[in-house]
Amino acid sequence: MASVYRKSTGVYYLSVTFQNNRITRSLGTKSYDVAKKLTPLIEKQILTEIINGGAVKKKKHYSFRNLVSKYLAYSDHDWVKSTNDRNKTLLNNYLAIGMPENPTTKAMTIRTINSCNNWAFNHGLIEKPVKLEGGSKWESRDRVISDSELKTLLDKIRDERFNQFVRFAYYTGARRGEIRSISRENIFPKHIVAKGKTGKRLIKLNDQAKQILSKQNELWDYKNDFITKKFKKEARRLGISDIRFHDLRRTFGYNLIRQGRPIYEVSKLLGHSSVTTTERHYAPLISTDIDDYVL
């Protein structure tokens, strides 16, 4: 039995089941029409290999550490760099120290482990995928940087280059990985083309962001860990507690909504996949700003 399905990356795959073994192959296209045309040919190739004894192999016993190594080394995931880095960090940390205590990180780790096991099953490396529960049990963070805290950060971060990086993150609402991926050829008069979580996206440049870019002789090439440690160090020095770099992005969206910007517009500026995503993140924040009312 053969079936065609599309992964979250948009690439179509062909799955052929034979004698309780499932063989999966990438069709290498995001076009359904092309995938449909390729299916008979690829299915024939797989069946030929099965008949000749080359496609179905006796499953070996792999430790989870071995599976992680193969999973991360697999070249056909179609992951963007940020996804690759996140999966690598989560899985390697899990192998080194076990399940994290932070609820959000724990949920992300569980989802990544399940994805690794599903991949191993689809590629015939294990008999049955083991699914861990708890992949959706994360705590939503709703920390918004206050106006006074934001002014302190933007005025008093000493390292001028890093200060400009922080300002640019706030003025655009861009993720740190998107800013780190900027190259000169991707900068245009009103926007930049950046590599986002799900691929390339356009990030609008307001006058404040344009001014910062115009002053940069060299674009930022900070490592992810450096940004986290540097930002926390500066925040501690300035007496600002419970703050993360990503809170700049949340504050960007929140302040635009406070100014009366339509949530659809804010959703586009943030690069969310849908307005529903924006509403889910920001509804708890803006509910406290609703004017008093009488019933």
Side-chain angles (χ1 to χ4, degrees):
M1 183 177 68
S3 61
V4 176
Y5 65 96
R6 185 174 63 177
K7 286 193 174 182
S8 58
T9 57
V11 176
Y12 282 92
Y13 280 70
L14 174 66
S15 178
V16 177
T17 302
F18 177 78
Q19 294 181 348
N20 296 322
N21 289 280
R22 181 159 57 169
I23 300 93
T24 301
R25 295 279 172 84
S26 169
L27 294 175
T29 180
K30 295 183 178 181
S31 167
Y32 176 74
D33 291 336
V34 174
K36 193 174 180 181
K37 292 178 181 178
L38 288 174
T39 294
L41 175 63
I42 303 301
E43 182 181 3
K44 184 178 179 180
Q45 290 177 353
I46 292 175
L47 290 173
T48 299
E49 291 177 13
I50 290 173
I51 293 171
N52 292 332
V56 179
K57 299 177 181 178
K58 185 177 180 180
K59 293 181 177 64
K60 299 178 181 179
H61 176 72
Y62 290 103
S63 67
F64 185 67
R65 184 177 296 277
N66 291 144
L67 292 179
V68 167
S69 178
K70 290 180 178 295
Y71 180 60
L72 294 176
Y74 186 62
S75 61
D76 202 20
H77 285 303
D78 288 323
W79 289 338
V80 296
K81 187 178 184 302
S82 60
T83 302
N84 181 73
D85 291 343
R86 181 174 64 252
N87 288 343
K88 184 176 181 180
T89 298
L90 291 171
L91 289 171
N92 285 336
N93 284 348
Y94 171 73
L95 291 174
I97 60 178
M99 196 65 74
E101 294 183 4
N102 179 276
T104 301
T105 308
K106 181 178 180 180
M108 291 171 63
T109 301
I110 289 173
R111 293 199 300 273
T112 306
I113 290 172
N114 288 340
S115 294
C116 178
N117 279 326
N118 287 333
W119 172 86
F121 173 69
N122 288 334
H123 288 78
L125 300 179
I126 58 177
E127 293 287 349
K128 184 179 180 181
V130 178
K131 182 178 180 181
L132 300 181
E133 300 298 328
S136 60
K137 295 181 180 179
W138 66 86
E139 291 182 355
S140 297
R141 182 173 171 83
D142 57 6
R143 171 73 156 101
V144 171
I145 304 171
S146 69
D147 293 343
S148 61
E149 290 173 330
L150 188 61
K151 186 177 188 308
T152 299
L153 284 169
L154 301 186
D155 289 349
K156 296 185 178 181
I157 289 181
R158 293 171 179 170
D159 185 326
E160 183 59 25
R161 190 162 183 258
F162 189 71
N163 184 298
Q164 296 299 297
F165 183 82
V166 171
R167 285 175 176 269
F168 190 81
Y170 173 62
Y171 294 149
T172 61
R175 303 176 181 90
R176 73 181 78 185
E178 294 171 337
I179 303 174
R180 290 165 51 221
S181 73
I182 299 173
S183 58
R184 287 293 177 188
E185 58 267 28
N186 290 334
I187 300 176
F188 299 90
K190 294 183 179 181
H191 69 276
I192 58 175
V193 179
K195 295 178 182 177
K197 289 175 67 175
T198 57
K200 291 183 179 179
R201 80 172 182 100
L202 303 185
I203 297 176
K204 180 176 174 58
L205 296 173
N206 65 0
D207 289 340
Q208 294 160 301
K210 291 176 186 175
Q211 188 175 10
I212 288 175
L213 282 179
S214 68
K215 295 178 181 179
Q216 302 306 307
N217 294 325
E218 294 183 7
L219 295 175
W220 305 281
D221 57 354
Y222 297 137
K223 299 293 184 183
N224 194 46
D225 287 346
F226 171 83
I227 297 169
T228 298
K229 293 176 182 177
K230 178 78 170 177
F231 188 73
K232 286 185 176 181
K233 181 179 180 180
E234 291 287 348
R236 283 196 300 270
R237 181 179 64 81
L238 297 172
I240 303 173
S241 60
D242 184 32
I243 187 171
R244 302 175 188 173
F245 189 84
H246 192 78
D247 295 337
L248 290 164
R249 174 172 161 83
R250 186 180 302 104
T251 304
F252 164 85
Y254 175 69
N255 285 343
L256 286 176
I257 293 173
R258 278 203 310 173
Q259 292 175 12
R261 293 279 184 176
I263 197 164
Y264 175 81
E265 193 173 280
V266 175
S267 181
K268 290 300 181 185
L269 290 171
L270 288 167
H272 284 162
S273 57
S274 69
V275 177
T276 303
T277 302
T278 312
E279 290 175 335
R280 185 172 67 249
H281 286 295
Y282 288 90
L285 300 177
I286 61 180
S287 63
T288 58
D289 286 342
I290 297 173
D291 292 335
D292 196 16
Y293 57 87
V294 177
L295 296 176

